[in-house]
Amino acid sequence: MAATKYIFVTGGVTSSLGKGIISASLAKLLQARGYSITIQKLDPYINVDPGTLNPYEHGECYVTNDGAETDLDLGHYERFLNVPTSQANNVTTGLIYQTVINKEREGAFLGKTVQVIPHITDEIKRRIQLLGETGDFEIVITEIGGTVGDIESLPYIEAVRQLKWELGNRCLVIHLTLVPYLAATGELKTKPTQHSVKTLLEYGVQPDILVCRTDRSLSQEIKRKIALFCNVTVNAVIESVDAETIYDVPIMMLKEQLDRVVLSKLKLKLRQEQPDMAHWKTFLGKLKNPVSEVRIGLIGKYIELKDAYKSIAEALIHAGVENECRVKVEWIHSEHLHEGNIEEKLAGLKGVVVAPGFGERGIEGKIAAIRYVRENNIPFFGICLGMQCAVIEFGRNVLGLKDAHSTEMNAKTKHPVIDIMEEQKDITAKGGTMRLGEYPCHINKGTKALHIYGKTNIKERHRHRYEFNNHYLRQYENAGMIAAGINPESKLVEMIELKHHPWFIGVQFHPEYKSTVENPHPLFVKFIKASLGSYEL
């Protein structure tokens, strides 16, 4: 295989322009032209990983197969490319500094003064090239978080400058900027883009391609003006108009010929005249032309920030498309739910997802919602803490264990139906006590779960600390809540379901992390099917 090529995606003017979606869209197009490709994210914050960040701060924490707690952009990468990511795909400033400081403590620098240049930038460059050196990828796209000019991202931009110098035409820089429309003058303004590129130039980096976010089309005249002031060719000024859905963006970038320009500048062959986007276009067609609609309640405690449940929301979209149905998600705050208003709050919903989370806030609302859907035969899907709440609710209201709870919320409960594993009780570091990443699960015969998956042995990703307490297993199974899936090594319960309910399933893992455009997750697909009233064993 020829030497790996590197594409860097930087952002300017403002945050949240969509570097992750542009990176994923370009990667999809290059993949569809036959190139092996991966994407990594460099995050400028000093946390070692997003695992301890409040979801209100950073949205959801995405988990890879190898147990890395990463940025939610990695979810976009996997959903678009249908290729798993790993620890190497997400790097933070915290991780970089931690590595360099540990090396310094071990004496690796032979008493030299440790500095940002070369020590920090060398570590950044090493991390950037880790994926390229595996031999698995012809192209690595590296998205640099933050905005050019931020003090935090300076070492990353400097590392890019050095790599461009060292690797020559094996490197390419795409800069994403904003071209705002001023209503007062009726004009699109290029000055913010000019200033952003000027800032990048001050750091020694000349962008090769500009992707301009805008709410209306750019004229040829404006493209020429941007090209002239920013030292790029006119065909390298790419417009990215606001899209109806993120899944439109690869097709929009195809029309703008972003992939052709990139391959040309990297001196790579087109391989085929048009990328194979047939499956993607079919998906988009179904997404935009649903045959039916279904209202699903998503009950969580971080719903003010939709990104806190990003993977679940996208998995519901994938499942909707598979059922040719528009999934209308009703976001319901668990703190606002109680026995007195549950019927009113859940009125008209055809299915309910109870979301994952940590901590006591909003727990009783989730439990009240689960009781309502269990007693009224409404399809229920509990994920992680959602499954644990279903176990607590069943213990209290069916088994008569009035004090049933998780020791996470009530350490002194008489009935710890959800508890921490014995071997983890002495671990104090956050994250150290968690089951993280992919674990096997054996699905039992005669279960809905087996019908849904179509196989007995599966692997799913985890991110949790507390487990079903097996001391209560026989009691639960005798009353109709069965362990549908078990971890073959630890014998921990992975899936529960109710025998006498049309569709009531709880899972200890996070199936949403594995749902992609090409492979919507079967649990979500069948949950939507059940919510439409058409699921049959």
Side-chain angles (χ1 to χ4, degrees), residues 4-72:
T4 304
K5 306 272 187 174
Y6 295 90
I7 299 169
F8 299 100
V9 180
T10 59
V13 186
T14 174
S15 57
S16 304
L17 285 183
K19 290 191 300 291
I21 300 298
I22 290 294
S23 301
S25 298
L26 172 60
K28 182 73 218 169
L29 294 175
L30 295 173
Q31 183 191 57
R33 284 194 185 274
Y35 283 94
S36 55
I37 194 153
T38 190
I39 320 175
Q40 67 180 172
K41 173 83 183 277
L42 306 184
D43 261 316
Y45 52 75
I46 299 174
N47 302 64
V48 172
D49 62 47
T52 54
L53 281 174
N54 187 326
Y56 284 129
E57 285 263 334
H58 202 71
E60 79 171 0
C61 174
Y62 189 79
V63 177
T64 57
N65 283 341
D66 60 356
E69 293 180 288
T70 70
D71 185 79
L72 61 79

Side-chain angles (χ1 to χ4, degrees), residues 44-345:
Y45 52 75
I46 299 174
N47 302 64
V48 172
D49 62 47
T52 54
L53 281 174
N54 187 326
Y56 284 129
E57 285 263 334
H58 202 71
E60 79 171 0
C61 174
Y62 189 79
V63 177
T64 57
N65 283 341
D66 60 356
E69 293 180 288
T70 70
D71 185 79
L72 61 79
D73 272 327
L74 269 70
H76 290 312
Y77 306 161
E78 290 200 13
R79 285 189 283 276
F80 276 50
L81 291 181
N82 201 36
V83 174
T85 54
S86 69
Q87 173 77 63
N89 292 76
N90 193 200
V91 179
T92 67
T93 295
L95 195 58
I96 297 285
Y97 274 83
Q98 187 181 58
T99 306
V100 171
I101 289 166
N102 288 345
K103 277 185 181 174
E104 186 272 334
R105 292 289 84 188
E106 291 159 10
F109 300 117
L110 302 172
K112 280 192 162 62
T113 304
V114 178
Q115 295 177 290
V116 173
I117 302 170
H119 303 101
I120 296 299
T121 51
D122 280 355
E123 179 60 20
I124 292 170
K125 288 191 292 183
R126 186 186 75 80
R127 297 265 180 177
I128 286 169
Q129 293 175 95
L130 273 179
L131 289 163
E133 286 163 0
T134 61
D136 296 335
F137 307 107
E138 294 165 284
I139 302 170
V140 175
I141 297 178
T142 302
E143 177 198 342
I144 297 174
T147 310
V148 169
D150 293 350
I151 197 164
E152 295 103 328
S153 57
L154 283 175
Y156 293 109
I157 302 297
E158 170 59 19
V160 170
R161 184 194 68 77
Q162 293 178 22
L163 279 173
K164 273 202 93 174
W165 178 248
E166 292 163 17
L167 303 179
N169 66 6
R170 285 174 57 198
C171 277
L172 180 89
V173 175
I174 297 173
H175 189 52
L176 184 62
T177 78
L178 181 67
V179 180
Y181 178 76
L182 281 193
T185 59
E187 292 176 298
L188 284 163
K189 288 296 187 185
T190 65
K191 195 61 76 178
T193 293
Q194 293 175 45
H195 278 300
S196 184
V197 171
K198 188 179 173 189
T199 304
L200 200 50
L201 284 167
E202 284 171 5
Y203 301 141
V205 176
Q206 166 66 56
D208 301 284
I209 296 171
L210 296 178
V211 176
C212 303
R213 277 301 306 275
T214 172
D215 66 353
R216 62 205 64 210
S217 218
L218 302 180
S219 66
Q220 244 349 80
E221 187 187 350
I222 284 179
K223 284 190 174 185
R224 275 197 296 271
K225 184 178 178 183
I226 291 171
L228 177 67
F229 279 102
C230 299
N231 308 332
V232 297
T233 54
V234 177
N235 73 336
V237 179
I238 306 289
E239 78 172 27
S240 176
V241 182
D242 294 350
E244 189 184 332
T245 156
I246 58 170
Y247 300 109
D248 279 321
V249 181
I251 304 301
M252 290 161 67
M253 291 302 101
L254 177 62
K255 283 180 186 161
E256 282 287 297
Q257 302 195 344
L258 175 61
D259 53 327
R260 279 176 177 268
V261 177
V262 164
L263 290 172
S264 164
K265 287 186 181 293
L266 286 173
K267 298 192 166 31
L268 292 170
K269 290 177 181 170
L270 280 177
R271 286 198 178 161
Q272 52 201 65
E273 188 51 35
Q274 285 300 324
D276 178 12
M277 297 291 283
H279 185 283
W280 195 273
K281 286 175 179 174
T282 302
F283 172 87
L284 260 182
K286 287 183 180 177
L287 177 63
K288 294 189 175 192
N289 302 287
V291 175
S292 56
E293 182 174 291
V294 67
R295 281 180 67 210
I296 300 294
L298 177 56
I299 300 175
K301 65 176 183 178
Y302 305 115
I303 61 152
E304 298 92 335
L305 182 70
K306 306 289 190 285
D307 274 0
Y309 304 112
K310 190 67 181 169
S311 291
I312 294 175
E314 298 305 318
L316 287 169
I317 290 171
H318 304 157
V321 168
E322 191 73 4
N323 286 288
E324 296 196 52
C325 152
R326 175 182 284 115
V327 178
K328 200 164 178 236
V329 178
E330 304 277 337
W331 300 80
I332 301 168
H333 204 304
S334 54
E335 265 194 304
H336 303 158
L337 290 177
H338 49 80
E339 295 286 357
N341 69 1
I342 205 81
E343 193 168 351
E344 173 207 338
K345 293 279 189 185

Side-chain angles (χ1 to χ4, degrees), residues 440-513:
C441 170
H442 177 82
I443 301 178
N444 293 324
K445 286 180 181 167
T447 59
K448 279 196 188 73
L450 183 59
H451 180 258
I452 289 163
Y453 275 97
K455 54 186 178 182
T456 50
N457 293 307
I458 59 164
K459 286 183 175 179
E460 292 282 5
R461 297 182 200 177
H462 292 248
R463 184 180 182 244
H464 60 93
R465 195 170 275 116
Y466 291 79
E467 308 281 355
F468 181 92
N469 187 340
N470 280 339
H471 294 307
Y472 291 89
L473 185 55
R474 185 171 292 176
Q475 210 174 335
Y476 271 82
E477 297 213 302
N478 288 342
M481 180 176 273
I482 57 169
I486 301 278
N487 181 297
E489 291 148 17
S490 62
K491 304 305 175 197
L492 293 166
V493 175
E494 299 278 19
M495 305 179 77
I496 56 102
E497 61 183 59
L498 283 183
K499 272 186 187 173
H500 311 297
H501 189 287
W503 213 95
F504 189 104
I505 292 177
V507 296
Q508 185 69 289
F509 46 80
H510 288 260
E512 70 273 21
Y513 292 151

